[in-house]
């Protein structure tokens, strides 16, 4: 009986270790996709729950592509829901002309300010902005191929598209990023 408990403990620690290693990168991917830290945290947490619920019985070597596939699905679902909500709200909610939007008037807290830009973070910020401006599929392909280091076949599997599509998306993403960041080269 003790052998089963030890095996379960080992599996749990391996899963915990895996989730800790992908957590920050997954959060960054989701944050770029949603432009909201709170939404990104919710998506990553939901992806982790879904991954643990359905895929931890798979071999550990398959966990990374499976996890990112779950995360990709959650991000796509998020965008679909947002699009539907936007259409519904646009049809039913009409703001008053004299009403002031407090949120739109609030200062941008994501702006790091002039001191950080002067400290050499301009290129990093420019990369973040350039990544945010990429179409979702191009950004996801770039993040999976370049940041995560997945090969073309694994990326195609995660994104549920052909290998040719992965190559096309990556090529277009790299071209757009080079153009946007040429002054930092």
């Amino acid at each position: 009986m003790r052998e089963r408990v030890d095996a379960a403990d080992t599996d749990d620690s391996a899963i915990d270790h895996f989730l800790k290693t992908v957590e920050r990168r997954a959060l960054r991917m989701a944050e770029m996709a949603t432009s909201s830290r709170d939404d990104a945290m919710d998506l990553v947490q939901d992806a982790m729950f879904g991954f643990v619920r359905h895929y931890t019985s798979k071999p550990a070597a398959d966990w990374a592509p499976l996890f990112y596939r779950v995360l990709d699905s959650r991000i796509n679902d998020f965008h679909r829901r947002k699009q539907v909500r936007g259409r519904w709200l646009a049809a039913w909610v009409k703001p008053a002309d004299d009403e002031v939007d407090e949120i739109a008037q609030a200062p941008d807290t994501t702006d790091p300010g002039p001191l950080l830009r002067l400290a050499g973070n301009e290129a990093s910020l420019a990369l973040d902005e350039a990544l945010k401006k990429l179409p979702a599929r191009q950004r996801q392909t770039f993040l999976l191929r370049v940041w995560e280091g997945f090969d073309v076949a694994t990326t195609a599997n995660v994104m549920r598209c052909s290998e040719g599509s992965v190559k096309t998306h990556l090529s277009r993403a790299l071209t757009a990023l080079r153009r946007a960041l040429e002054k930092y080269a």
Side-chain angles (χ1 to χ4, degrees), residues 61-128:
D62 295 341
W63 286 356
L66 289 170
F67 172 76
Y68 284 106
R69 182 177 221 176
V70 173
L71 180 62
D72 189 56
S73 293
R74 298 305 191 270
I75 290 170
N76 288 334
D77 291 345
F78 170 83
H79 287 297
R80 280 188 212 109
R81 281 192 304 273
K82 187 176 176 182
Q83 189 176 26
V84 168
R85 273 191 220 120
R87 275 188 262 152
W88 185 84
L89 287 174
W92 292 98
V93 177
K94 303 217 183 323
D97 291 336
D98 59 345
E99 189 175 311
V100 176
D101 185 359
E102 300 283 334
I103 294 173
Q105 301 297 326
D108 183 8
T109 59
T110 61
D111 182 26
L115 293 177
L116 284 179
R117 283 191 297 276
L118 290 174
N121 288 329
E122 285 185 20
S124 176
L125 292 172
L127 176 61
D128 281 352

Side-chain angles (χ1 to χ4, degrees), residues 117-141:
R117 283 191 297 276
L118 290 174
N121 288 329
E122 285 185 20
S124 176
L125 292 172
L127 176 61
D128 281 352
E129 288 303 313
L131 283 170
K132 287 177 185 176
K133 290 178 183 176
L134 288 176
R137 298 294 278 181
Q138 289 180 19
R139 180 179 47 245
Q140 194 69 4
T141 303

Side-chain angles (χ1 to χ4, degrees), residues 15-63:
I15 293 165
D16 287 343
H17 176 71
F18 167 74
L19 292 175
K20 285 178 185 175
T21 61
V22 298
E23 179 180 33
R24 292 183 82 159
R25 293 185 312 270
L27 180 61
R28 189 73 182 118
M29 283 182 179
E31 194 172 6
M32 284 185 184
T34 63
S35 299
S36 166
R37 182 131 179 120
D38 292 335
D39 289 337
M41 290 173 74
D42 289 344
L43 288 173
V44 170
Q45 184 179 27
D46 191 37
M48 286 181 172
F49 283 139
F51 170 77
V52 169
R53 188 175 320 122
H54 298 288
Y55 297 113
T56 55
S57 62
K58 301 285 185 185
D62 295 341
W63 286 356

Side-chain angles (χ1 to χ4, degrees), residues 4-18:
R4 282 185 171 176
V5 172
D6 288 342
D9 288 344
T10 303
D11 288 345
D12 287 346
S13 67
I15 293 165
D16 287 343
H17 176 71
F18 167 74

